[in-house]
Amino acid sequence: MNAEPDTNTLIMAQMGAKARTAAAMLARLPAGTRDHALRQAAAMLRRDAPQILAANARDMEGFKGSAAFGDRLMLNEARVEAMARGLEEVAALPDPLARSLGEWTRPNGLTISRVPQPLGVLGMIYESRPNVGADAAAIAIKSGNAIILRGGSESYHSAKAINAALTEGLRAAGLPEHAVQVAPSTDRRFVTAMLQASGLLDLIIPRGGKALVELVQKEARVPVLAHAEGLNHTYIHRSADFAMARAVLANAKMRRTGVCGATETLLIDAAVAPALLPLLVADLAGLGCAFRADEAARAICPTLPAAAEKDFYTEWLDAVLSVKIVSGVDEALAHIARHGSEHTDAIITQDAAAAEYFLANIASAVGMWNASTQFCDGGEFGFGAEIGIATGRIHARGPIGPDQLTTFRYVVRGTGQVRP
């Protein structure tokens, strides 16, 4: 005899059914209505900022993790305002459903068009950063998708307060309030219920550390769009401008150490390392950074702690930088291919040929030339916000905005043709 489904499975089934109904409505709504709902939701976030901050303070009281993790969890007035602006920026983007993906006419006179359509119902499992829920909701609504969110247990009260404001905004604009839903508790079994929700969810998006992504990929019975681990590199080429290299690396490592776009490993060309590395170390140490360096780097800066091999496989998400000296572009590329996560990798150089060679030969979702890796962000890419950074080789790579959360269908127009 089959066991009765557990409570979380039943709750997920109920939420999924409501989400599918909401998704069907969203797909038929004009862009102006969806955009109006996002602006209304932004207004509700601003109005409810005191309640959201009080909920976040409750989460912070129970938090016992690292400083970098705490920075991701913490909200303040500026971050709530940034969430609201993010919704408005997404609303201002072109409609991802009102575009042509291709059109052609066959010899028989049939005209065939490929047009976008929403994926349907998304499920997102994320860790720590409460603003991720607002960003994901905005992009889902913009692209005509419903979404079910399960944030980390440490951000439970913040997620509920943010969702309450979003829901009120949707309701005020006449959208189905079940277009955006959050997990009803911190019970980890609800995650399992989401992963098993084939037929209810059309895509699962994990956004968090390597362990979370691997768990989702292993256990999901729903297609997965994996968020990348951010083991990012900045390579300083022998033709780099020293002042630029110093400014860019300081930002790439220390602007916010806990975000997935932070540089975790410095690769520096042997030709400039003796002159430049001491300056870089002094700059970053003055900002509170610690180091793990290979023997060649320690020969130049003897006070640097020695790196173990595992350090070059580590996404620090903290004020720690791995340092390695390389002989040139090819060794830098080989190191990135071996140790990187295909998230974001940058070259600093005044040599255009070296830069183009580097960019053409990395497998990373985002390659950068003379820019901080921390620019790998949906807002900076013009998406208003993002739902994650994808590195999977199916469906999408890089920051995920509204366009990437659509699929397509075909429309065939004829003049009475019949097939012989």
Side-chain angles (χ1 to χ4, degrees):
M1 184 175 179
N2 293 332
E4 289 291 325
D6 67 24
T7 301
N8 288 286
T9 300
L10 292 172
I11 293 172
M12 179 62 226
Q14 294 166 358
M15 293 174 69
K18 292 174 181 176
R20 296 211 77 81
T21 300
M25 294 177 63
L26 284 172
R28 297 192 298 268
L29 289 174
T33 302
R34 286 181 272 121
D35 293 342
H36 176 58
L38 292 178
R39 296 187 182 98
Q40 288 290 101
M44 294 301 120
L45 282 174
R46 292 190 176 99
R47 189 199 69 180
D48 293 352
Q51 295 94 304
I52 293 169
L53 293 176
N56 183 249
R58 188 175 174 187
D59 287 330
M60 293 297 295
E61 286 173 8
F63 175 69
K64 296 181 173 62
S66 69
F69 199 95
D71 177 64
R72 297 203 300 274
L73 175 61
M74 185 269 294
L75 292 176
N76 53 31
E77 290 184 1
R79 290 184 178 181
V80 175
E81 173 59 26
M83 278 193 284
R85 284 202 313 272
L87 266 66
E88 292 169 337
E89 289 167 3
V90 171
L93 294 174
D95 180 11
L97 303 178
R99 57 194 172 113
S100 172
L101 301 177
E103 182 173 305
W104 58 96
T105 300
R106 299 290 296 146
N108 59 15
L110 291 175
T111 299
I112 302 174
S113 304
R114 185 187 295 120
V115 297
Q117 75 170 35
L119 294 174
V121 180
L122 313 175
M124 187 166 185
I125 302 167
Y126 61 97
E127 296 175 337
S128 69
R129 291 173 64 185
N131 63 292
V132 168
D135 291 349
I139 293 171
I141 295 299
K142 180 73 179 185
S143 54
N145 296 288
I147 191 165
I148 296 174
L149 300 162
R150 202 286 188 180
S153 57
E154 68 283 343
S155 62
Y156 174 69
H157 299 99
S158 304
K160 281 185 64 179
I162 290 168
N163 188 69
L166 296 177
T167 299
E168 191 161 348
L170 298 181
R171 190 185 301 117
L175 264 65
E177 63 184 72
H178 295 115
V180 180
Q181 302 176 71
V182 295
S185 73
T186 59
D187 191 334
R188 290 182 179 272
R189 288 173 294 185
F190 188 78
V191 172
T192 301
M194 290 181 70
L195 298 181
Q196 302 297 318
S198 178
L200 296 172
L201 298 180
D202 295 293
L203 185 70
I204 284 276
I205 305 170
R207 182 169 181 182
K210 185 176 182 179
L212 170 64
V213 174
E214 288 180 345
L215 170 70
V216 171
Q217 290 176 317
K218 179 181 178 182
E219 301 293 337
R221 299 295 180 266
V222 178
V224 176
L225 181 62
H227 173 71
E229 182 184 19
L231 213 169
N232 308 319
H233 300 75
T234 293
Y235 165 51
I236 299 179
H237 182 252
R238 66 187 62 195
S239 297
D241 176 88
F242 278 25
M244 177 190 293
R246 294 173 70 178
V248 170
L249 181 65
N251 182 270
K253 177 66 239 181
M254 298 300 293
R255 172 187 165 270
R256 289 188 68 184
T257 60
V259 298
C260 65
T263 286
E264 303 291 22
T265 297
L266 165 65
L267 303 175
I268 181 168
D269 200 297
V272 295
L276 181 55
L277 183 59
L279 301 176
L280 298 172
V281 169
D283 291 343
L284 293 174
L287 297 171
C289 188
F291 303 90
R292 304 289 188 272
D294 74 348
E295 288 306 310
R298 295 182 73 239
I300 297 169
C301 298
T303 60
L304 295 180
E309 178 66 11
K310 66 179 177 60
D311 293 330
F312 292 106
Y313 290 99
T314 300
E315 182 188 18
W316 295 108
L317 295 174
D318 206 345
V320 182
L321 180 69
S322 303
V323 181
K324 180 177 177 61
I325 293 179
V326 295
S327 59
V329 181
D330 284 321
E331 188 178 353
L333 289 168
H335 181 95
I336 291 168
R338 179 178 177 186
H339 299 88
S341 62
E342 298 187 3
H343 188 297
T344 301
D345 295 293
I347 182 171
I348 310 300
T349 184
Q350 299 302 301
D351 184 335
E356 295 299 344
Y357 180 79
F358 178 89
L359 296 172
N361 286 280
I362 54 172
S364 311
V366 178
M368 294 190 169
W369 174 14
N370 289 347
S372 166
T373 57
Q374 297 219 9
F375 279 108
C376 184
D377 175 270
E380 295 294 337
F381 277 39
F383 300 163
E386 71 182 31
I387 207 163
I389 310 292
T391 61
R393 299 183 185 250
I394 298 173
H395 185 68
R397 286 171 67 78
I400 302 301
D403 288 355
Q404 288 74 37
L405 292 181
T406 63
T407 182
F408 57 83
R409 60 191 178 90
Y410 293 95
V411 175
V412 181
R413 294 178 174 86
T415 56
Q417 288 90 335
V418 296
R419 184 171 180 177

